[in-house]
Amino acid sequence: MNVKNFIIGGLVGGLVDFLLGWLIYGILLKDTFPTEGGGKENIIFIFLGCMSFGFLISYVFAQREGISKCVPGIKLAAGIALFMSLSTNFFMNMNKETIDVKLLIIDVVASMVLASFVGAVIAVVNGKMK
């Protein structure tokens, strides 16, 4: 594993995740996903979550050694996001009597779009550092 690619890719991927997450969830889907805490999100935890996802994708790409092009990065990151977001949504809805399937689908698709950009950026960064 190339540690330099892992660290730089994770940092860049986390920042892209944070900024695009703000755009997608904070602006475009703001009315679709209202906040539960009265609009008092913990921005530090959001940032740390984004950085964790960036490092997860970067770790997978660094282990595979072949992810240095945009399209394979998009595909792999979207696949990871599909299963992560399904898992998260299933656990978040486990004790609800009625589940809004439309919201679940919107969240899964939004997560995959977001992850696709993160995967593309990390793959391009890895390709530039070869």
Side-chain angles (χ1 to χ4, degrees):
M1 176 172 86
N2 187 331
V3 177
K4 184 172 104 176
N5 283 23
F6 165 66
I7 292 172
I8 293 173
L11 289 171
V12 172
L15 290 173
V16 167
D17 191 31
F18 183 75
L19 295 172
L20 282 178
W22 167 73
L23 176 66
I24 292 173
Y25 287 103
I27 294 176
L28 298 176
L29 298 175
K30 185 177 185 173
D31 296 332
T32 306
F33 296 102
T35 58
E36 294 179 12
K40 296 180 181 176
E41 298 89 8
N42 189 332
I43 197 75
I44 293 173
F45 275 30
I46 293 171
F47 180 76
L48 291 174
C50 291
M51 293 306 290
S52 297
F53 185 72
F55 276 100
L56 169 69
I57 299 298
S58 185
Y59 178 76
V60 171
F61 286 14
Q63 289 296 317
R64 300 250 345 234
E65 294 292 335
I67 308 297
S68 60
K69 295 193 189 268
C70 194
V71 173
I74 289 170
K75 289 179 180 179
L76 187 55
I80 291 169
L82 169 66
F83 293 109
M84 282 184 62
S85 61
L86 282 173
S87 173
T88 301
N89 275 284
F90 291 151
F91 282 123
M92 286 186 340
N93 288 298
M94 70 176 181
N95 61 355
K96 294 182 180 176
E97 288 186 30
T98 59
I99 296 168
D100 191 342
V101 176
K102 179 182 167 188
L103 280 182
L104 189 143
I105 292 169
I106 290 171
D107 186 48
V108 170
V109 171
S111 296
M112 290 176 67
V113 168
L114 183 58
S116 295
F117 279 100
V118 171
V121 168
I122 292 173
V124 169
V125 166
N126 285 343
K128 298 281 184 194
M129 292 193 325
K130 276 191 168 184

